[in-house]
């Protein structure tokens, strides 16, 4: 009998000179082979060109080239220059932490690199950070008398973690690149399939695409070096008496043949596959480095770590070749986990990989909330998958954070993880179905037994009553009793079989997972954040009472539109006629999308249609508020990144283009008459257009701002009409409308993305990136205009709104919470404000809010893929709305107030009916 193979030696596994899916870093640079030529070209570009675009397919090895190649080369040059000239001349800094504040993170990374690179006697004189990124870099480069090279790695993740309207880092990066006096060069490393996302920067960095370097897969010769070079270095560094490792003849050539680019692929299901050719290596072919590394690590584990001294061709064939190794890589890891951890991983993976296959980092506390599982169980499962033997997750926790944060180990694991989860969920559903049928069968036998017992009783009573008169009935009764005994025996046997099936290991695992779910459901939710409020300008802080989460019903709607291919930014309903007949409903809903289109849904029929033709993302879409103009005049308006707006006719789907802006458009507002349209843009301007005729014209150009102008707020009343435009320059500008006269400038002091005006036009609230929502009495007679209330959050305020009465206003913040305030007594002396409620329940930033037209209700939408409905008067959450698969960008109520819609980065729009959502009776229109 052949003895079982020896267990792999853990120390030998760790000593493996191949990295698998782990990127090479500077400490591993000696073992990094095959990219020397690419490194020299990249370094030359970084040192001579202001901005370099470095791109390639996922898994091609961009990070390894940057860290083990470029950074190492720049560090060597800096050390040599310091020794010869007492000046580094050029310092390289790599940065890839996009989950948190990228400006602060980049500055921290640059400062840490300088402290590690410069002589110790320089450090006490190192200048502190400046107010902006450009100021800090200028101070440091002047101090060193040297250049900086910023290597911005995995830049596609910047777009994943930043909302579309947050350009704080992008604005500062543009300022750095466009400053000719600043001694800083920038390399942007990005996945090839994300290049289109850079269009948002191209308008402000004209040379962005001028100097592009594409990293291709390894050549055959480079791949041969990647196999043989690390092994030679490993043998050269062996201590005396160590056993050198050899490669069996033929293994290198066979392996290079199997992992050529185009033969190895990850199918949509996530399983590895190899398309074999003739077995002859094409000298012009390319080799996929991560697959090569994965196979070499597996061979090392099977041959060397088990006590051998040769990497063998036979082992490759025994393992099924590269095909089987790649296909089973993740399955081998996951099969080694206990059943409860596998069930939990299936729920957690959904949060770590988007449906499109993009990795996303989350804190363990967030994962526990998403999966509705106990925090210790999730932490334990993540630790198992982080272990060096698994390497499915990696720890990316920022310094000083108590809760760990994880992301998947490598982009190439995304597809296998999605596939494993899909198979696991399908297996669990099949198991649940089998369990359900077992219960049904058991129940059916129970019913049969009960019916049989009833028959026995009836027959027995009949026998007692007729025993003396009908002897033949007695005989029949004996036969029936005999048959019943047989049935009962069969029933007992089948009950025993069913019981054994219900105690099977996989059923036990499912039951344990269900029990964990139930425990998590019963655990009280933990509040996050501690928002405070500065009241009346006196800097006193008060804590808002927190709303309760218990008892909120979970609800999902089946009214969903999937017409857009990417993010849906906003939605707008068509108006109702005035007066509206009883039972009238809006006819249309328009949505604006990242896929460069707007889509119009016919809410009462099948007359959907597209508004297409923009060459950039459509950031906003509105339907003309005047229904009388829909038949023959302008029906809708769209605003796009292509620097244009369009007004569209309903009859023939034709349009007129509005072309006065010089940068991306950010928002729209339309007067009730339908004559005036407002557009806002990153070019620092707002324009009031006269669209009352066939040829729209720019009637007023509002150029008071010095920063990007964001979505406008237009209020029309019998006593006047006003336009409020928030700006990135820290001010909100109030204009009379439609003449465009500047009436007031509200100096918030930090970038403002949203503003709202009370229904009477007296109060304005501004939402700041500094975490404050400031309430202004802009018509007050105070000599120096100042805020009358500051609602303070821990992070940027994303949205603000007044309710229809003007008594309450609400804020939504990136800290995951919303606040509601009562301003009924704001005209008292001194003003009095009542903190109504802090609405804490989301596990990610709150991006949009909307008051319900009926009752004391508020809807909040979040990056955690859910929306919540709150009764702020009762301080409780009424419903958790689920179903979206990605960030929810907007919420909009219909004119009737009975319905609202949400739009999402998953490309869908969902329509919700308050009548169908349990617990919302107090918020429904009367």
């Amino acid at each position: 009998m052949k003895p079982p193979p020896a267990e792999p030696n853990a120390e030998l596994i760790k000593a493996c000179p191949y990295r698998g899916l782990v990127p090479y870093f500077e400490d591993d640079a000696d073992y990094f082979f095959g990219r020397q030529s690419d490194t020299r070209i990249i370094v030359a570009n970084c040192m001579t060109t202001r901005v370099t675009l470095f791109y390639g397919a996922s898994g091609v090895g961009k990070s390894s080239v940057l860290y083990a190649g470029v950074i190492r080369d720049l560090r060597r040059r800096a050390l040599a220059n310091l020794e010869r000239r007492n000046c580094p001349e050029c310092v390289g800094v790599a940065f890839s932490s996009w989950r948190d504040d990228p400006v602060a993170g980049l500055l921290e990374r640059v400062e840490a690199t300088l402290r590690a690179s410069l002589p110790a006697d320089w450090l006490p004189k190192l200048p502190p950070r400046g107010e902006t990124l450009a100021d800090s870099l200028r101070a440091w480069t002047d101090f060193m008398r040297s250049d900086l090279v910023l290597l911005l790695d995995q830049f596609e993740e910047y777009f994943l973690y930043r909302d579309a309207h947050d350009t704080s880092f992008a604005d500062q990066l543009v300022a750095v690149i466009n400053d000719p006096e600043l001694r800083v060069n920038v390399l942007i490393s990005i996945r090839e399939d994300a290049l289109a996302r850079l269009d948002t920067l191209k308008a402000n960095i004209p040379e962005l695409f001028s100097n592009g370097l594409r990293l291709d897969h390894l050549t055959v010769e480079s791949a041969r070096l990647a196999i043989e070079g690390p092994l030679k270095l490993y043998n050269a560094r062996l201590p005396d008496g160590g056993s050198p490792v050899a490669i069996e003849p033929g293994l290198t050539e066979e392996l290079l043949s199997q992992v050529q680019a185009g033969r190895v692929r990850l199918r949509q299901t996530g399983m590895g596959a190899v398309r074999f050719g003739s077995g002859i290596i094409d000298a012009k072919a390319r080799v996929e480095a991560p697959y090569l590394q994965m196979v070499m690590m597996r061979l090392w584990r099977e041959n060397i770590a088990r006590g051998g001294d040769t990497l063998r061709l036979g082992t490759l064939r025994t393992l099924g070749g590269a095909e089987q190794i790649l296909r089973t890589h993740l399955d081998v890891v996951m099969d080694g986990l206990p059943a409860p951890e596998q069930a939990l991983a299936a729920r957690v993976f959904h949060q770590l990989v988007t449906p499109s296959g993009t990795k996303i980092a989350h804190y363990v506390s967030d994962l526990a909330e998403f999966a509705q599982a106990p925090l210790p169980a999730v932490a334990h499962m993540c630790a198992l998958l982080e272990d060096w033997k698994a390497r499915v997750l990696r720890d990316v926790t920022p310094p000083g954070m108590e809760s760990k944060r994880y992301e998947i180990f490598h982009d190439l694991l995304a597809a296998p993880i999605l596939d494993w989860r899909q198979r696991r969920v399908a297996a669990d559903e099949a198991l649940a179905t089998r369990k359900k049928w077992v219960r049904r069968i058991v129940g059916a036998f129970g019913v049969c037994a009960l019916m049989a017992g009833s028959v026995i009783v009836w027959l027995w009573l009949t026998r007692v009553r007729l025993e003396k008169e009908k002897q033949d009935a007695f005989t029949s009764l004996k036969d029936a009793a005999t048959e019943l005994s047989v049935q009962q025996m069969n029933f007992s046997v089948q009950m025993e079989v069913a019981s054994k099936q219900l105690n099977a290991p996989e059923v036990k695992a499912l039951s344990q997972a269900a029990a964990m779910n139930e425990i998590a459901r019963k655990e009280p939710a933990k509040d996050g954040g501690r928002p405070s409020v500065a009241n009346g300008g006196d800097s006193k802080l008060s804590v808002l009472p927190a709303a309760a989460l218990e008892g909120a019903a979970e609800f999902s709607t089946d009214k969903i539109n999937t017409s857009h291919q990417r993010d849906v930014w906003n939605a707008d309903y068509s108006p109702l006629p005035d007066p509206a007949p009883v039972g009238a409903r809006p006819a249309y809903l328009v949505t604006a999308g990242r896929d460069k289109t707007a889509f119009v849904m016919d809410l009462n029929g099948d007359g959907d249609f597209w508004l297409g033709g923009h060459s950039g993302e459509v950031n906003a879409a509105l339907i003309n508020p005047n229904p009388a103009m829909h038949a023959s005049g302008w029906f809708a308006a769209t605003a796009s990144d292509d620097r244009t707006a369009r007004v569209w006719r309903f009859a023939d789907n034709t349009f007129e283009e509005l072309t006065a802006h010089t940068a991306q458009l950010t928002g729209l507002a339309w007067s009730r008459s339908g004559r005036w349209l407002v557009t806002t843009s990153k070019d620092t301007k707002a324009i009031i257009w006269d669209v009352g005729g066939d040829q729209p014209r720019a009637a007023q150009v509002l150029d008071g701002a010095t920063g990007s102008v964001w979505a406008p707020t237009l209020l029309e009343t019998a006593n006047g009409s006003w336009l409020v435009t928030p700006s990135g320059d820290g001010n909100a500008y109030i204009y009379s409308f439609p003449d465009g006269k500047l009436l007031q400038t509200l100096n918030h002091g930090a970038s403002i993305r949203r503003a709202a005006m009370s229904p009477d036009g007296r109060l304005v609230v501004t939402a700041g990136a500094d975490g404050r929502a400031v309430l202004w009495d802009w018509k007050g007679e105070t000599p120096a205009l100042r805020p009358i209330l500051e609602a303070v959050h821990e992070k940027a305020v994303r949205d603000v709104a007044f309710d229809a009465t003007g008594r309450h206003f609400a804020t939504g913040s990136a800290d995951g919470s919303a606040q509601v305030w009562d301003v009924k007594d704001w005209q008292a002396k001194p003003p009095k404000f009542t903190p109504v409620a802090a609405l804490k329940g989301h596990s990610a930033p709150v991006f949009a809010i909307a008051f319900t037209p009926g009752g004391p209700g508020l809807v909040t939408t979040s990056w955690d893929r859910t929306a919540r409905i709150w009764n702020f008067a009762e301080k409780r959450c009424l419903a958790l709305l689920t179903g979206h698969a990605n960030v929810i960008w907007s919420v909009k109520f219909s004119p009737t107030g009975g319905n609202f819609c949400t739009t999402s980065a998953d490309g869908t729009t969902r329509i919700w009916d308050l009548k169908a959502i349990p617990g919302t009776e107090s918020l429904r229109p009367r």
Side-chain angles (χ1 to χ4, degrees):
M1 182 175 178
K2 186 177 180 180
E7 284 297 314
N9 183 291
E11 294 303 319
L12 284 175
I13 292 178
K14 292 180 180 179
C16 177
Y18 304 102
R19 300 288 288 169
L21 292 179
V22 183
Y24 283 86
F25 292 100
E26 192 173 355
D27 293 341
D28 316 306
D30 290 345
Y31 290 94
F32 184 58
F33 286 85
R35 291 294 193 184
Q36 286 72 20
S37 176
D38 295 310
T39 298
R40 287 193 295 270
I41 294 172
I42 297 167
V43 169
N45 276 267
C46 288
M47 296 183 65
T48 58
T49 307
R50 173 50 62 98
V51 58
T52 300
L53 185 58
F54 181 53
Y55 63 98
S58 176
V60 77
K62 299 183 293 297
S63 295
S64 295
V65 172
L66 293 181
Y67 285 95
V70 177
I71 283 292
R72 188 193 197 199
D73 189 279
L74 291 175
R75 188 182 296 277
R76 284 180 170 179
R77 290 169 183 261
L79 292 175
N81 290 330
L82 276 168
E83 184 176 346
R84 291 195 300 265
R85 305 182 182 91
N86 196 35
C87 174
E89 291 195 359
C90 185
V91 176
V93 180
F95 178 74
S96 61
S97 301
W98 303 108
R99 176 66 170 78
D100 302 300
D101 180 2
V103 175
L106 179 56
L107 288 174
E108 182 178 343
R109 181 63 179 163
V110 173
E111 186 173 7
T113 301
L114 295 182
R115 291 188 177 278
S117 304
L118 299 178
D121 57 341
W122 289 28
L123 301 184
K125 300 179 181 179
L126 186 69
R129 302 179 193 178
E131 292 185 1
T132 65
L133 181 62
D135 292 340
S136 301
L137 299 182
R138 182 177 293 105
W140 288 332
T141 53
D142 289 347
F143 170 74
M144 296 187 300
R145 306 185 307 280
S146 304
D147 296 342
L148 271 175
V149 175
L150 304 181
L151 308 178
L152 306 182
D153 190 24
Q154 299 178 9
F155 201 75
E156 65 276 359
E157 294 185 9
Y158 164 74
F159 299 104
L160 176 66
Y161 292 121
R162 303 268 77 73
D163 69 84
H165 303 290
D166 181 5
T167 62
S168 54
F169 174 77
D171 293 342
Q172 295 202 45
L173 178 63
V174 168
V176 168
I177 294 175
N178 289 339
D179 187 345
E181 303 299 324
L182 197 56
R183 302 179 63 175
V184 177
N185 291 341
V186 177
L187 178 143
I188 296 176
S189 176
I190 190 169
R191 267 184 9 201
E192 193 168 30
D193 58 3
L195 279 172
R197 305 296 300 272
L198 294 175
D199 286 345
T200 56
L201 296 177
K202 183 180 178 182
N204 298 313
I205 309 176
E207 69 274 22
L208 179 61
F209 291 96
S210 300
N211 185 41
L213 299 177
R214 185 181 187 275
L215 187 67
D216 205 343
H217 293 290
L218 292 170
T219 64
V220 171
E221 288 307 312
S222 296
R224 186 175 280 107
L225 278 176
I227 295 174
E228 298 172 352
L231 198 58
K232 290 180 180 178
L233 184 61
Y234 173 85
N235 289 333
R237 292 183 173 180
L238 278 174
D240 293 340
S243 299
V245 176
I247 297 181
E248 191 173 80
L251 174 59
T252 299
E253 303 306 313
E254 178 67 22
L255 184 55
L256 291 176
S257 173
Q258 290 191 19
V259 295
Q260 290 182 34
R263 294 184 182 178
V264 181
R265 56 189 169 83
L266 286 175
R267 297 199 299 267
Q268 186 65 29
T269 59
M271 297 173 61
V274 178
R275 294 181 291 183
F276 291 101
S278 62
I280 301 174
I281 300 176
D282 182 356
K284 297 181 180 180
R286 295 282 179 164
V287 174
E288 306 213 28
Y291 302 142
L292 176 66
Q293 292 284 328
M294 287 172 64
V295 174
M296 291 304 298
M297 279 197 71
R298 183 68 181 277
L299 293 177
W300 182 277
R301 178 187 179 93
E302 299 300 325
N303 288 147
I304 310 305
R306 294 187 188 274
D309 59 3
T310 304
L311 298 172
R312 300 188 179 280
L313 175 60
T315 304
L316 175 66
R317 292 171 176 168
T318 300
L319 293 173
E323 173 182 9
Q324 188 70 5
I325 292 174
L326 300 177
R327 177 157 51 89
T328 61
H329 173 72
L330 182 68
D331 286 353
V332 168
V333 172
M334 299 308 297
D335 288 346
L337 292 182
E341 275 72 16
Q342 290 189 41
L344 186 57
R347 304 209 304 273
V348 168
F349 279 164
H350 181 59
Q351 309 298 331
L352 293 169
V353 184
T354 67
S356 60
T358 302
K359 66 181 181 181
I360 183 169
H362 279 300
Y363 289 99
V364 173
S365 55
D366 292 340
L367 293 174
E369 176 71 18
F370 292 148
Q372 297 183 341
L375 181 61
V378 176
H380 177 67
M381 183 273 298
C382 290
L384 291 177
L385 293 179
E386 180 198 2
D387 185 83
W388 61 271
K389 291 178 287 187
R391 286 178 171 169
V392 173
L393 301 181
R394 64 175 176 177
D395 183 0
V396 289
T397 309
M401 297 301 295
E402 294 183 1
S403 177
K404 280 196 170 186
R405 187 171 70 196
Y406 289 98
E407 68 179 11
I408 65 171
F409 206 93
H410 196 282
D411 285 343
L412 291 178
L413 286 175
I417 283 174
L418 289 175
D419 172 62
W420 179 87
R421 180 183 180 276
Q422 182 181 11
R423 288 184 281 119
R424 171 74 192 199
V425 169
D428 288 347
E429 290 176 350
L431 183 62
T433 300
R434 290 197 298 271
K435 184 177 178 181
K436 179 178 68 176
W437 278 106
V438 168
R439 287 197 299 265
R440 288 182 176 179
I441 292 170
V442 171
F445 278 115
V447 172
C448 291
L450 180 61
M451 294 176 64
S454 300
V455 172
I456 292 174
V457 173
W458 181 81
L459 290 175
W460 183 79
L461 291 175
T462 302
R463 180 178 63 83
V464 171
R465 188 174 67 250
L466 302 176
E467 183 178 13
K468 294 182 180 180
E469 300 177 5
K470 298 181 179 180
Q471 188 63 33
D472 56 339
F474 176 73
T475 303
S476 299
L477 182 60
K478 288 175 62 179
D479 294 341
T482 302
E483 178 65 22
L484 178 60
S485 298
V486 173
Q487 291 180 0
Q488 288 176 328
M489 290 178 62
N490 291 337
F491 171 70
S492 298
V493 171
Q494 292 173 7
M495 281 288 289
E496 183 178 356
V497 171
S499 176
K500 290 180 179 179
Q501 290 177 343
L502 286 173
N503 287 320
E506 60 267 30
V507 178
K508 287 184 177 179
L510 189 66
S511 300
Q512 292 171 2
M516 292 170 63
N517 227 356
E518 181 66 13
I519 292 172
R521 186 184 67 80
K522 293 181 179 179
E523 287 185 347
K526 297 178 175 63
D527 288 344
R530 49 183 189 281
S532 56
V533 177
N535 198 343
D538 60 1
S539 300
K540 294 181 180 179
L541 300 179
S542 9
V543 178
L544 282 75
L549 301 178
E550 293 80 6
E554 184 172 332
F555 183 79
S556 183
T557 179
D558 58 359
K559 297 178 181 178
I560 180 173
N561 182 275
T562 60
S563 298
H564 286 283
Q565 298 178 1
R566 302 177 67 182
D567 303 63
V568 186
W569 296 127
N570 87 304
D572 186 48
Y573 287 92
S574 60
L576 297 178
D578 189 16
V582 176
R585 298 187 302 175
Y588 296 99
L589 179 69
V590 64
T591 54
R594 173 172 280 176
D595 57 7
K596 305 178 184 180
T597 68
F599 185 74
V600 181
M601 286 176 269
D602 184 349
L603 300 179
N604 300 315
D606 298 323
D608 299 348
F609 58 95
W610 294 94
L611 304 177
H614 280 292
S615 59
E617 297 179 23
V618 178
N619 294 319
L622 291 181
I623 294 178
N624 190 333
N626 185 357
M629 297 183 68
H630 293 179
S632 58
W634 305 117
F635 169 71
T638 53
S640 171
D641 269 358
D642 65 9
R643 309 182 187 184
T644 71
R646 291 183 177 185
V647 284
W648 302 80
R649 294 182 181 88
F650 179 81
D652 52 7
N653 204 23
T654 58
F655 63 87
E656 289 292 335
E657 198 164 64
L658 315 182
T659 58
H661 286 290
T662 59
Q664 299 100 317
L665 272 66
T666 58
L668 296 168
W670 212 325
S671 68
R672 286 199 303 266
S673 67
R675 177 179 176 181
W676 308 102
L677 180 70
V678 181
T679 57
T680 55
S681 169
K682 292 183 180 179
D683 64 5
T684 74
K685 296 179 179 63
I687 298 178
I688 301 175
W689 300 83
D690 184 349
V691 294
D694 289 338
Q695 296 296 323
R697 64 180 183 86
Q700 303 291 338
V701 177
L702 314 180
D703 55 2
T706 58
S708 298
V709 181
W710 301 105
T713 296
L714 175 60
L715 177 69
E716 297 175 280
T717 73
N719 299 320
S721 299
W722 303 277
L723 177 69
V724 184
T725 58
S727 173
D729 64 11
N731 298 317
Y733 300 88
I734 304 178
Y735 300 91
S736 59
F737 186 83
D739 60 11
K741 179 182 178 182
L742 180 62
L743 302 177
Q744 190 63 262
T745 300
L746 309 181
N747 183 11
H748 185 108
S751 177
I752 308 172
R753 294 305 178 89
R754 294 288 186 273
M757 182 173 278
S758 61
D760 62 0
R762 182 67 185 267
L763 300 177
V764 174
V765 60
T766 53
D770 57 357
R772 297 182 305 137
V774 178
L775 183 68
W776 311 79
D777 174 11
W778 75 274
K779 293 185 178 180
E781 298 178 357
T782 53
L785 190 67
R786 62 187 179 89
I788 57 175
L789 171 68
E790 294 181 358
V792 181
H793 284 270
E794 292 183 346
K795 294 183 180 180
V797 181
R798 301 293 192 190
D799 201 7
V800 289
F802 278 96
D803 68 1
T805 67
R807 176 171 178 172
H808 300 97
F809 78 88
T811 62
S813 168
D815 65 11
S817 73
Q819 297 180 14
V820 181
W821 287 83
D822 188 333
V823 297
K824 178 183 178 182
D825 297 327
W826 69 271
Q827 289 181 304
K829 301 297 183 180
K832 295 180 181 178
F833 305 96
T834 304
V836 178
L839 313 179
K840 304 176 187 178
H842 290 291
S843 56
V846 172
F847 195 82
I849 59 176
F851 280 99
T852 57
L858 188 76
V859 178
T860 56
T861 72
S862 171
W863 285 18
D864 66 8
R865 312 177 188 182
T866 70
R868 287 180 179 266
I869 305 178
W870 310 80
N871 185 317
F872 57 81
E874 298 179 359
K875 299 178 181 57
R876 64 189 182 97
C877 181
L878 302 179
L880 172 66
L881 308 183
T882 62
H884 280 297
N886 211 324
V887 175
I888 303 179
W889 291 123
S890 76
V891 55
K892 179 72 174 182
F893 270 90
S894 72
T896 65
N899 301 286
F900 63 93
C901 68
T902 53
T903 66
S904 170
D906 64 8
T908 69
T909 302
R910 290 178 178 262
I911 300 176
W912 311 81
D913 187 349
L914 281 178
K915 291 182 180 179
I917 303 175
T920 62
E921 291 80 5
S922 61
L923 309 183
R924 298 169 188 170
R926 298 295 187 264

